[in-house]
Amino acid sequence: MDFDEFRAYMASGRSTGENPEMPRMLNDLNDRARRIMGELNSGYHPMDEIRELFSKLIGSDVDPLFRLFPPFYTDCGINTRVGRNVFINSGCCFQDQGGIEIGDDVLIGHMVVLATLNHELEPSRRESLLPEPIRIGNRVWIGSHSTILPGVTVGDGAVVAAGAVVTRDVPPNTIVAGVPAKVVKTIVPES
């Protein structure tokens, strides 16, 4: 199984338990990610080197305006897509096997968790994973210590307040807060 086959399988939403190649692939991807993170998260690196290492981690080049403050953690890396002018603050954890898409002009605060996997509930199948992608629109601000769960789409211009746990889609140009997150305000964009 190559990277493209892995991404396609995970995009199908089928349980990892249905594919006998999946445990080995997930382990290989985790080993790959840990090697790159070991370099990314150790010592000082100028921003150009950070962009180069993050590009290697996700398997595609990031925009020249991409910024990341390490440390950064992921258990896969290869299933993350990042738009233009994205900023990711320190301590973020991306569980991206199910797919993470980040739009343009996005700000992600300290220690944000993006989790794209659930385990099956039946105890005998609990080691199997159920992937669902997270999609972050353009001009989104995700506050520090917030968590976005599998299958969530955050609409363009939205704000996720610090500490929120987002369990369902966030409409465009709204602010969500709380556990679980709820819409607390609508943002009226300037014309």
Side-chain angles (χ1 to χ4, degrees), residues 32-190:
R32 177 188 173 279
R34 285 184 292 116
R35 278 192 298 275
I36 298 167
M37 284 184 304
E39 188 174 352
L40 175 66
N41 292 336
S42 64
Y44 169 79
H45 299 285
M47 198 53 66
D48 285 345
E49 285 180 23
I50 290 172
R51 278 190 281 275
E52 182 179 319
L53 288 165
F54 194 82
S55 294
K56 182 177 177 184
L57 181 64
I58 68 170
S60 63
D61 290 338
V62 294
D63 179 72
L65 296 176
F66 173 84
R67 291 165 297 138
L68 168 74
F69 290 174
F72 175 83
Y73 305 98
T74 184
D75 44 8
C76 181
I78 202 71
N79 211 4
T80 294
R81 295 288 166 261
V82 178
R84 291 175 285 125
N85 193 33
V86 169
F87 173 69
I88 301 172
N89 218 324
S90 62
C92 290
C93 299
F94 288 14
Q95 181 195 52
D96 71 319
Q97 290 94 329
I100 295 173
E101 297 175 17
I102 300 171
D104 299 336
D105 304 311
V106 172
L107 302 170
I108 299 177
H110 289 90
M111 302 181 90
V112 166
V113 173
L114 303 180
T116 65
L117 297 175
N118 274 317
H119 290 273
E120 294 210 30
L121 293 177
E122 169 58 43
S124 66
R125 294 190 314 262
R126 195 153 294 153
E127 68 183 31
S128 295
L129 303 171
L130 300 169
E132 289 186 82
I134 291 173
R135 293 178 178 90
I136 309 295
N138 298 322
R139 300 171 315 284
V140 169
W141 174 20
I142 302 173
S144 296
H145 291 270
S146 58
T147 299
I148 299 177
L149 296 179
V152 168
T153 295
V154 179
D156 291 348
V159 175
V160 175
V165 176
V166 184
T167 61
R168 63 180 65 150
D169 290 353
V170 177
N173 299 311
T174 61
I175 300 172
V176 296
V179 179
K182 294 179 174 41
V183 174
V184 296
K185 186 174 183 177
T186 299
I187 302 166
V188 180
E190 296 177 1

Side-chain angles (χ1 to χ4, degrees), residues 2-16:
D2 65 21
F3 293 155
D4 290 333
E5 291 168 330
F6 170 77
R7 288 184 190 115
Y9 186 90
M10 297 306 269
S12 76
R14 295 187 349 243
S15 169
T16 60

